[in-house]
Amino acid sequence: MKVVGTIVYEEIEGGFWGIKGDDGDKYKPVSGLPENAQKAGQRVEAELERVQVMGISMWGKAVKVNNLELLP
């Protein structure tokens, strides 16, 4: 799925980077984000794939980032 959104840093669960989509959903990359995208407020367009993971996370949908483009 293609998503346009904003990078956020969440302090919960030890801290992690996520994407708040313009579609209103939240996405939690299971392998994190590339270092150049780890900037709160950064706009991105991402190709994401839903994945099934075991865990207690209550924030967003678990996804694999297949492609990520920084937007101006």
Side-chain angles (χ1 to χ4, degrees):
M1 78 186 98
K2 191 169 276 194
V3 172
V4 175
T6 304
I7 301 294
V8 295
Y9 184 78
E10 294 292 332
E11 298 279 341
I12 56 176
E13 301 174 3
F16 61 88
W17 293 98
I19 301 171
K20 282 193 177 178
D22 290 355
D23 59 4
D25 282 335
K26 298 183 278 189
Y27 303 94
K28 184 177 180 184
V30 294
S31 296
L33 290 173
E35 195 169 317
N36 68 330
Q38 294 179 8
K39 179 181 177 190
Q42 173 66 55
R43 297 282 295 157
V44 295
E45 183 174 343
E47 183 67 35
L48 306 175
E49 180 180 335
R50 287 289 308 263
V51 295
Q52 296 293 324
V53 294
M54 296 297 289
I56 59 170
S57 177
M58 298 300 286
W59 194 96
K61 299 175 180 177
V63 294
K64 175 184 172 191
V65 178
N66 292 326
N67 189 41
L68 185 88
E69 182 179 331
L70 304 181
L71 299 176

